[in-house]
Amino acid sequence: MPEILCCFKWLIDESYIRASSSGELDLETVDYKLSNYDRNAIEESVRLQEEYGGTVSAITVGLPDSTKGVKDALSRGPEKAYFINDDSFENLEPSQTAAILADIISSQINYDLIICGEGSSDLYAQQVGPRLAEKLGIPCISYIQKVQIEGDRIVAEKKVEDGIEVISAPMPVLLTVLPDINTPRIPGLKDTLGASKKPVINISKDDLTVSYEAKIHTNAIIAASMERNCQKFGSETEDIANLARALAKEGVIK
Amino acid sequence: MDFRLTEEQELIRSNMREFAETYVDPIAAEIDESARYPAEVIEKLAEGGWMGMPFPVEYGGQGTDYLTYAIAIEELSRSCAATGFTMSVHTSLSLMPIFLFGNEEQKKKYLPPLAQGKHIGAFALTEPGAGTDVGAATTTAVLEGDEYVLNGTKTFCSNGPVADTYVTFAWTDKSAGRKGLSAFIVSKGTPGLKVGSHFMKMGIRASQTSEIIFKDCRIPKANLLGKEGDGMKIAMNCFDHGRIGIAGQSVGITQAALDESINYSKQRIQFGKPISKNQAIQWWIADMATDINAARFLTYHAAWLKDQGQPFTKEASMAKVFCAEMAMKHTVKAVQIHGGYGYCKGFKVERLMRDAKITEIYEGTSEAQRMVIAGTVLR
Ligand SMILES: Cc1cc2nc3c(=O)[nH]c(=O)nc-3n(C[C@H](O)[C@H](O)[C@H](O)COP(=O)(O)OP(=O)(O)OC[C@H]3O[C@@H](n4cnc5c(N)ncnc54)[C@H](O)[C@@H]3O)c2cc1C
């Protein structure tokens, strides 16, 4: 029976981000949420547990005030959570997150299967999963849209450009899942109320073997601006020719 | 003073929001148009534990506080006021009196199926000749051996056609004045209980409203709620609780009106710019947002008082009348912001304006709320 570990990130809900006219982001009044695809990762972990038995734990790295995120994750089914937190864990870049997770997982947690979302809803770097697998020395299968367990192997359907690749790998293995894999259920009241009673294992920076410095530095984040260009054309033959020329000029058609 | 909700309350709010966006938004216009009871949504609410929120787990509930319940009603009503009201009547007017005034046997028997949403509750007080003036009711209950025999006609009974359990009121002693009214639990299928004609309404059309007729309806003596003569007290207590729900419903309706107005006014171009660039529109929207804030705090405060075990009758009435009148005022403005389109089916504000009107009428009209408030303030 598999011991499943799902990774999640508690991050800024992008729908609350406002951009000023100069492109600066206003993060004063934002709210936070579980990264979208991590909901799929948690749901898939719980679904596999329902089908094959075993255990599901959730793990996150973040700021100490992400406790609501831990409750949110637990309300979706995992029976316990590992909460690696420190005031310095703000805006970690993927190499740091993966290294911290690997450090704790390899020293403290038993697992047969680790499930991550394909990418986070903020950066979508798609790196934490593969980097974590690399550090743990286990296989990583990405772009997963369906998964089954057969004996001690995982059989997964990976979405590729023009089709589906069916891959099998021995456990322990790490999967990164696409949103197509399932529809996360909405926690009911009992789930939310029960989440507060589940065990949370707090892990601090002191529990790490070394400290991990950022390899990438973000110098600025500026809102993308979309140039809108509105031109009006009539319906005469000549107008249509003008429309085609204008589209070609903009590079929309060749 | 602490204006923060708990993490749990915030999560419950966002889960209800997601529930409503997933299951209610897609059908809200359809069930309004066809006046259809959304049984499938009520079943889903039941599965999620939403139909018995503020009751102890031992009676099948979830053990939340009343504030959390008010928040859930608000978020559900933001998508569909009729569905929000169905849940609110069930919880505040049917389960609550059984929980607060029922004896252990009654609580064990009636609460679990209701709190789990397997049964639906209704509250039948109003009569054709007795609306605001509850004392003008004429339904009677006569004790014959081990049974009460009920005779009379109740009207405007929400959930009436779909309910399994009714809390109703009848005179056991007409000569005793207010102390002669008693409350009873009546189960669906009791001989002599008939669901009368259904009302076709202006708004909250998916909420089912009907007459309930008692004709020599015999119920066990054990179905008396509280003692003989407790009826008026129980009814007023139901309203105290119910009004917090209606206040929450009104906030939800108005929040939806604001959401729609912001979206539309930013998109609608007239005179070469979005109409939201006009100060007239901005001020309407600013007033809407301000009133919603005030209304929400009145509602949450009344619920908080209830949770603290303090008196909350006056505050529940204040919240109810303020929120209801705010909902009416601003849904009218929201239609105005939408211009001609707002007057037509297909735009949510058209439904919101019709739905808002009822909040000024049921569970005590705005005038009745002012009577309650003045009664305590002038004492
Ligand atoms: C959709 C809907 C659902 C309902 N659901 C339920 C339900 O589930 N259970 C239930 O028991 N009832 C229910 N009701 C009944 C509702 O509570 C009553 O309609 C309401 O209490 C008003 O009573 P009335 O309609 O008889 O109006 P009336 O009492 O006749 O009032 C008419 C007008 O006179 C005003 N008025 C009356 N008395 C005074 C006074 N002394 N001073 C100043 N003004 C006064 C009122 O405010 C109102 O403006 C529902 C009604 C509707 C429309």
Side-chain angles (χ1 to χ4, degrees), chain A residues 10 34 39 42-43 46 68-78 183-196 198, chain B residues 7-20 22-23 44-50 53 62 72:
Chain A
W10 184 243
L34 273 190
R39 290 179 177 212
I42 298 173
E43 175 69 28
V46 174
K68 184 173 150 193
V70 176
K71 284 201 185 91
D72 192 344
L74 286 172
S75 74
R76 292 164 195 275
T183 307
R185 61 201 105 171
I186 304 166
L189 269 178
K190 202 184 272 140
D191 305 316
T192 309
L193 297 167
S196 310
K198 292 181 178 178
Chain B
E7 286 178 348
E8 254 171 29
Q9 286 165 335
E10 286 180 2
L11 287 173
I12 289 169
R13 177 197 285 283
S14 57
N15 290 335
M16 177 49 104
R17 184 88 302 270
E18 192 182 343
F19 178 97
T22 309
Y23 299 115
K44 282 226 153 32
L45 283 168
E47 273 168 35
W50 301 101
M53 290 182 69
Q62 301 295 334

Side-chain angles (χ1 to χ4, degrees), chain A residues 226-231 233 242-254:
Chain A
M226 213 181 352
E227 292 285 330
R228 283 175 200 271
N229 176 358
C230 176
Q231 297 180 40
F233 299 92
N242 282 337
L243 169 65
R245 268 193 292 278
L247 289 173
K249 194 173 156 225
E250 294 291 332
V252 180
I253 55 173
K254 279 188 193 147

Side-chain angles (χ1 to χ4, degrees), chain A:
Chain A
M1 291 210 278
E3 292 191 71
I4 307 173
L5 183 64
C6 46
C7 305
F8 69 94
K9 182 175 184 181
W10 184 243
L11 43 68
I12 290 174
D13 184 339
E14 66 279 4
S15 60
Y16 287 89
I17 302 176
R18 301 273 169 269
S20 72
S21 49
S22 59
E24 258 157 65
L25 302 186
D26 175 6
L27 303 179
E28 285 275 292
T29 56
V30 292
D31 208 343
Y32 290 75
K33 67 168 186 183
L34 273 190
S35 181
N36 293 359
Y37 298 176
D38 293 351
R39 290 179 177 212
N40 299 97
I42 298 173
E43 175 69 28
E44 197 58 19
S45 306
V46 174
R47 195 196 65 75
L48 287 170
Q49 183 192 31
E50 282 166 1
E51 195 174 336
Y52 302 101
T55 61
V56 177
S57 309
I59 188 165
T60 190
V61 181
L63 292 169
D65 63 6
S66 313
T67 47
K68 184 173 150 193
V70 176
K71 284 201 185 91
D72 192 344
L74 286 172
S75 74
R76 292 164 195 275
E79 52 252 39
K80 66 169 182 262
Y82 297 92
F83 181 27
I84 314 170
N85 62 91
D86 189 86
D87 285 323
S88 65
F89 290 167
E90 189 165 24
N91 298 324
L92 293 175
E93 59 109 338
S95 75
Q96 289 173 292
T97 307
I100 295 169
L101 285 170
D103 193 330
I104 297 301
I105 293 172
S106 57
S107 63
Q108 302 195 14
I109 304 172
N110 292 329
Y111 61 91
D112 299 299
L113 179 60
I114 300 179
I115 306 185
C116 300
E118 184 55 45
S120 60
S121 349
D122 50 359
L123 300 176
Y124 203 70
Q126 296 171 281
Q127 289 200 22
V128 170
R131 278 176 180 272
L132 173 57
E134 186 63 25
K135 292 224 170 244
L136 295 172
I138 59 172
C140 171
I141 318 176
S142 56
Y143 286 105
I144 299 306
Q145 56 173 24
K146 196 170 172 206
V147 57
Q148 273 170 282
I149 296 175
E150 289 180 6
D152 56 1
R153 294 183 79 85
I154 283 291
V155 179
E157 287 185 10
K158 176 188 178 95
K159 200 165 167 180
V160 288
E161 191 102 2
D162 1 85
I164 295 164
E165 197 180 329
V166 181
I167 298 176
S168 153
M171 292 195 274
V173 61
L174 186 146
L175 308 174
T176 63
V177 299
L178 293 173
D180 324 28
I181 195 162
N182 56 42
T183 307
R185 61 201 105 171
I186 304 166
L189 269 178
K190 202 184 272 140
D191 305 316
T192 309
L193 297 167
S196 310
K197 299 183 189 94
K198 292 181 178 178
V200 176
I201 297 118
N202 268 287
I203 298 168
S204 77
K205 207 177 176 181
D206 302 336
D207 298 317
L208 299 176
T209 50
V210 281
S211 71
Y212 301 95
E213 298 309 320
K215 297 199 165 79
I216 300 173
H217 293 275
T218 303
N219 295 335
I221 298 182
I222 300 166
S225 67
M226 213 181 352
E227 292 285 330
R228 283 175 200 271
N229 176 358
C230 176
Q231 297 180 40
K232 287 187 179 162
F233 299 92
S235 53
E236 301 299 322
T237 319
E238 184 50 25
D239 297 323
I240 291 165
N242 282 337
L243 169 65
R245 268 193 292 278
L247 289 173
K249 194 173 156 225
E250 294 291 332
V252 180
I253 55 173
K254 279 188 193 147

Side-chain angles (χ1 to χ4, degrees), chain B residues 123 125-126 131-132 156 158 201 358 361-363 365 367 371:
Chain B
F123 172 88
L125 172 67
T126 303
T132 306
F156 289 138
S158 301
K201 307 188 297 296
I358 190 59
I361 298 172
Y362 57 25
E363 303 201 20
T365 61
E367 296 68 47
M371 288 192 251

Side-chain angles (χ1 to χ4, degrees), chain B residues 85 89 93 122-134 154-160 167 169 199 201 203-204 207-210 239 243 358 360-369 371:
Chain B
F85 181 58
V89 168
L93 299 186
F123 172 88
L125 172 67
T126 303
E127 297 184 9
T132 306
D133 182 7
V134 173
K154 298 291 176 182
T155 193
F156 289 138
C157 180
S158 301
N159 295 354
V167 170
F169 299 82
F199 292 88
K201 307 188 297 296
I204 57 157
S207 163
Q208 306 298 304
T209 324
S210 71
F239 285 139
R243 282 162 189 167
I358 190 59
E360 295 183 308
I361 298 172
Y362 57 25
E363 303 201 20
T365 61
S366 292
E367 296 68 47
Q369 307 309 323
M371 288 192 251

